[in-house]
Amino acid sequence: MGRPNCGKSSLINAMTGEKVSIVSPRPQTTKDAVTGIFTKEDGSAQLVMTDTPGIFKPRKEDDIGLGKAVRSAAGGADVIVYVIDGTHKLDERDENNISVYARRGLPIILVINKVDLCAYEQVYPIIAHYNGKKGITEIIPVSAKAGTNVDKLKEIIIGLLPEGEAVYGDDEYTTSPEKFMAAEILREKMLYLLREEVPHGVSVEVTEYKKRKGRALYDIGADIVCDKDNHKTIIIGKGGAMLKEIGKRARPDIEKLTGCPVNLQLFVKVRK
């Protein structure tokens, strides 16, 4: 859990060692709760982690849906990992959020992320402030990007989990279907390339996802859906340059996902 842009998705990717959740500099990149799975090599422990949309005050109908996704994701948890951006100052919104989850009686690990970008003098006041606060079991500074303390965080979580059978196989790292992951990869590239020009309302719908008969090749078609004609113009770009760049950046990640070359066809549609 955590507020937008604190690095939750980067952290889950670092903990699984795979690209489970997309990442971009824009807040609210994660729209759906995504599950990441880590299994220790000796099979002694398995973490099933849910990456949630950032916690924020909803302002419109879509935001209310994101808020529900956050709450439902926390419902079946054994441990809550609350992530704070270490480059920011103390914020009472984080404290309020933590106090809400503390009422559930679950162990809460406070992760101070992005310590590769800030000095100890920035991190120490946060640790001092939260040390001994009700509901917080552990506090750990981490860098999801540099991998600092990521393994240590996994061991702390494992120590707090109840005993039980493994839910997933050793080679599984997410429950998301490949088709969903391909759509998310395309959306990630759009968020990077378009930045503020096009709002978060733009979505991706995969219309075709199949392996070509007798060949190690996937045919994938996707519609990029926006609600305004001027957004369509921006997404396509001059002479189709932006749409080509979105496909160019997405293809390697999708090929890694499928394990073979990809024939990617993109279309932009306006839907009011």
Coordinates of all heavy atoms in Angstrom, one line a residue, residues 132-173:
G132 N 8.0 3.0 16.9 CA 7.2 2.8 18.1 C 5.7 3.1 17.8 O 4.9 3.0 18.7
K133 N 5.3 3.6 16.6 CA 3.9 3.9 16.3 C 3.1 2.7 16.4 O 3.5 1.6 15.9 CB 3.8 4.6 15.0 CG 4.4 6.0 14.9 CD 3.4 7.0 15.3 CE 3.9 8.4 15.1 NZ 3.0 9.5 15.6
K134 N 1.9 2.8 16.8 CA 1.0 1.7 16.9 C 0.8 1.0 15.6 O 0.5 1.6 14.5 CB -0.4 2.1 17.4 CG -1.4 1.0 17.7 CD -2.7 1.5 18.2 CE -3.7 0.4 18.4 NZ -5.0 0.9 18.8
G135 N 0.9 -0.3 15.5 CA 0.6 -1.1 14.4 C 1.8 -1.4 13.5 O 1.8 -2.3 12.7
I136 N 2.9 -0.6 13.6 CA 4.1 -0.8 12.8 C 5.0 -1.8 13.4 O 5.5 -1.7 14.5 CB 4.8 0.5 12.5 CG1 3.9 1.5 11.8 CG2 6.1 0.3 11.8 CD1 4.5 2.8 11.5
T137 N 5.2 -2.9 12.7 CA 6.0 -4.0 13.2 C 7.5 -3.8 12.9 O 8.4 -4.1 13.7 CB 5.6 -5.4 12.6 OG1 4.1 -5.5 12.8 CG2 6.3 -6.6 13.2
E138 N 7.8 -3.4 11.7 CA 9.2 -3.2 11.2 C 9.2 -1.9 10.4 O 8.3 -1.5 9.7 CB 9.6 -4.3 10.3 CG 9.8 -5.7 11.1 CD 11.1 -5.8 11.7 OE1 12.0 -4.9 11.5 OE2 11.4 -6.9 12.4
I139 N 10.4 -1.3 10.4 CA 10.7 -0.1 9.5 C 12.0 -0.5 8.8 O 13.0 -0.8 9.4 CB 10.9 1.2 10.3 CG1 9.6 1.5 11.1 CG2 11.2 2.3 9.3 CD1 9.7 2.7 12.0
I140 N 12.0 -0.4 7.4 CA 13.1 -0.7 6.7 C 13.3 0.2 5.5 O 12.4 0.4 4.7 CB 13.1 -2.2 6.2 CG1 14.3 -2.6 5.3 CG2 11.8 -2.5 5.4 CD1 14.5 -4.0 5.1
P141 N 14.5 0.9 5.4 CA 14.8 1.7 4.2 C 15.2 0.8 3.0 O 15.9 -0.2 3.2 CB 16.0 2.5 4.6 CG 16.6 1.8 5.8 CD 15.6 0.9 6.4
V142 N 14.7 1.1 1.8 CA 14.9 0.2 0.7 C 15.1 1.1 -0.6 O 14.6 2.2 -0.6 CB 13.6 -0.6 0.5 CG1 13.5 -1.2 -0.9 CG2 13.6 -1.8 1.5
S143 N 15.8 0.5 -1.6 CA 15.8 1.1 -2.9 C 15.3 0.0 -3.9 O 16.1 -0.9 -4.1 CB 17.2 1.6 -3.3 OG 17.2 1.9 -4.7
A144 N 14.1 0.1 -4.4 CA 13.6 -0.9 -5.3 C 14.5 -0.8 -6.6 O 14.8 -1.8 -7.2 CB 12.2 -0.6 -5.7
K145 N 14.9 0.4 -7.0 CA 15.7 0.6 -8.2 C 17.1 -0.1 -8.1 O 17.5 -0.8 -9.0 CB 15.8 2.1 -8.6 CG 16.4 2.3 -9.9 CD 16.4 3.8 -10.2 CE 17.0 4.1 -11.6 NZ 17.0 5.6 -11.9
A146 N 17.8 0.2 -7.0 CA 19.1 -0.3 -6.8 C 19.2 -1.7 -6.2 O 20.2 -2.3 -6.1 CB 19.9 0.7 -6.0
G147 N 18.0 -2.2 -5.6 CA 18.0 -3.5 -5.0 C 18.4 -3.5 -3.5 O 18.5 -4.5 -2.9
T148 N 18.6 -2.3 -3.0 CA 19.1 -2.2 -1.6 C 18.0 -2.7 -0.6 O 16.9 -2.3 -0.6 CB 19.4 -0.7 -1.2 OG1 20.3 -0.2 -2.2 CG2 20.0 -0.6 0.1
N149 N 18.4 -3.7 0.2 CA 17.5 -4.3 1.3 C 16.3 -5.0 0.7 O 15.4 -5.3 1.5 CB 17.1 -3.2 2.3 CG 18.2 -2.8 3.2 OD1 19.2 -3.6 3.4 ND2 18.1 -1.7 3.9
V150 N 16.2 -5.3 -0.6 CA 15.0 -6.0 -1.1 C 15.0 -7.4 -0.6 O 13.9 -7.9 -0.1 CB 15.0 -5.9 -2.6 CG1 14.0 -6.9 -3.2 CG2 14.8 -4.5 -3.2
D151 N 16.1 -8.1 -0.6 CA 16.2 -9.5 0.0 C 15.9 -9.5 1.5 O 15.2 -10.4 2.0 CB 17.5 -10.1 -0.3 CG 17.7 -10.5 -1.7 OD1 16.7 -10.6 -2.5 OD2 18.9 -10.6 -2.2
K152 N 16.4 -8.5 2.2 CA 16.1 -8.4 3.6 C 14.6 -8.2 3.9 O 14.0 -8.8 4.8 CB 16.9 -7.2 4.2 CG 16.8 -7.1 5.7 CD 17.7 -6.0 6.3 CE 17.5 -5.9 7.8 NZ 18.4 -4.8 8.3
L153 N 14.0 -7.3 3.0 CA 12.5 -7.1 3.2 C 11.7 -8.4 3.0 O 10.8 -8.7 3.7 CB 12.1 -6.1 2.1 CG 10.6 -5.8 2.0 CD1 10.0 -5.4 3.4 CD2 10.3 -4.8 0.9
K154 N 12.2 -9.2 2.0 CA 11.5 -10.5 1.7 C 11.6 -11.4 2.9 O 10.6 -12.1 3.3 CB 12.1 -11.2 0.5 CG 11.6 -10.5 -0.8 CD 12.0 -11.3 -2.0 CE 13.4 -11.2 -2.5 NZ 13.7 -11.7 -3.8
E155 N 12.7 -11.4 3.6 CA 12.9 -12.3 4.7 C 12.1 -11.8 5.9 O 11.6 -12.6 6.7 CB 14.4 -12.3 5.1 CG 15.3 -13.1 4.2 CD 14.8 -14.6 4.0 OE1 14.4 -15.2 5.0 OE2 14.9 -15.0 2.8
I156 N 12.0 -10.5 6.1 CA 11.1 -9.9 7.2 C 9.6 -10.4 6.9 O 9.0 -10.8 7.9 CB 11.2 -8.4 7.2 CG1 12.6 -8.0 7.7 CG2 10.1 -7.8 8.1 CD1 12.9 -6.5 7.6
I157 N 9.2 -10.3 5.7 CA 7.8 -10.6 5.4 C 7.6 -12.1 5.7 O 6.6 -12.5 6.3 CB 7.4 -10.3 3.9 CG1 7.5 -8.8 3.7 CG2 6.0 -10.9 3.6 CD1 7.4 -8.4 2.2
I158 N 8.5 -13.0 5.2 CA 8.5 -14.4 5.4 C 8.3 -14.7 6.9 O 7.6 -15.6 7.3 CB 9.7 -15.1 4.7 CG1 9.5 -15.1 3.2 CG2 9.8 -16.6 5.2 CD1 10.8 -15.5 2.5
G159 N 9.1 -14.0 7.7 CA 9.0 -14.3 9.1 C 7.7 -13.9 9.8 O 7.4 -14.4 10.9
L160 N 6.9 -13.1 9.1 CA 5.6 -12.8 9.6 C 4.4 -13.6 9.1 O 3.3 -13.5 9.5 CB 5.3 -11.3 9.4 CG 6.3 -10.3 10.1 CD1 6.1 -8.9 9.5 CD2 6.0 -10.3 11.6
L161 N 4.7 -14.4 8.0 CA 3.6 -15.1 7.4 C 3.2 -16.4 8.2 O 4.1 -17.0 8.8 CB 4.0 -15.5 6.0 CG 4.2 -14.4 4.9 CD1 4.6 -15.0 3.6 CD2 2.9 -13.7 4.7
P162 N 1.9 -16.8 8.1 CA 1.5 -18.0 8.7 C 2.0 -19.2 7.9 O 2.2 -19.1 6.7 CB 0.0 -17.9 8.7 CG -0.3 -17.0 7.6 CD 0.8 -16.0 7.5
E163 N 2.1 -20.4 8.5 CA 2.5 -21.6 7.8 C 1.4 -22.1 6.9 O 0.2 -21.9 7.3 CB 3.0 -22.7 8.7 CG 4.3 -22.4 9.4 CD 4.9 -23.6 10.1 OE1 4.4 -24.7 9.9 OE2 5.8 -23.4 10.9
G164 N 1.7 -22.6 5.8 CA 0.7 -23.2 4.9 C 1.3 -23.7 3.6 O 2.5 -23.7 3.5
E165 N 0.4 -24.3 2.8 CA 0.9 -24.9 1.5 C 1.2 -23.8 0.5 O 0.5 -22.7 0.5 CB -0.1 -25.8 1.0 CG -0.4 -27.1 1.8 CD 0.8 -28.0 1.9 OE1 1.5 -28.2 0.9 OE2 1.2 -28.5 3.0
A166 N 2.1 -24.0 -0.4 CA 2.3 -23.1 -1.5 C 1.1 -23.1 -2.4 O 0.5 -24.1 -2.7 CB 3.5 -23.5 -2.3
V167 N 0.7 -21.9 -2.8 CA -0.5 -21.7 -3.6 C -0.2 -21.9 -5.1 O -1.0 -22.3 -5.9 CB -1.1 -20.3 -3.3 CG1 -2.4 -20.1 -4.1 CG2 -1.4 -20.2 -1.8
Y168 N 1.0 -21.4 -5.5 CA 1.4 -21.4 -6.9 C 2.7 -22.3 -7.2 O 3.4 -22.6 -6.2 CB 1.6 -20.0 -7.4 CG 0.4 -19.1 -7.2 CD1 0.2 -18.2 -6.2 CD2 -0.6 -19.2 -8.2 CE1 -0.9 -17.5 -6.0 CE2 -1.8 -18.4 -8.1 CZ -1.9 -17.6 -7.0 OH -3.0 -16.8 -6.9
G169 N 2.9 -22.6 -8.4 CA 4.1 -23.4 -8.8 C 5.4 -22.5 -8.7 O 5.3 -21.3 -8.7
D170 N 6.5 -23.2 -8.6 CA 7.8 -22.6 -8.4 C 8.1 -21.6 -9.6 O 8.9 -20.6 -9.3 CB 8.9 -23.6 -8.4 CG 8.8 -24.5 -7.1 OD1 8.0 -24.2 -6.3 OD2 9.5 -25.5 -7.0
D171 N 7.6 -21.8 -10.8 CA 8.0 -21.0 -11.9 C 7.0 -19.9 -12.2 O 7.2 -19.1 -13.1 CB 8.2 -21.9 -13.2 CG 6.9 -22.6 -13.5 OD1 6.0 -22.7 -12.7 OD2 6.8 -23.1 -14.7
E172 N 6.0 -19.8 -11.4 CA 5.0 -18.7 -11.6 C 5.4 -17.4 -10.9 O 5.8 -17.5 -9.8 CB 3.6 -19.2 -11.1 CG 3.0 -20.3 -11.9 CD 1.6 -20.7 -11.4 OE1 0.6 -20.1 -11.8 OE2 1.6 -21.7 -10.6
Y173 N 5.2 -16.3 -11.6 CA 5.6 -15.0 -11.0 C 4.4 -14.0 -11.0 O 4.5 -12.9 -10.4 CB 6.8 -14.4 -11.6 CG 6.7 -14.0 -13.0 CD1 6.2 -12.8 -13.4 CD2 7.1 -14.9 -14.0 CE1 6.1 -12.4 -14.8 CE2 7.0 -14.6 -15.4 CZ 6.5 -13.4 -15.7 OH 6.4 -13.0 -17.1

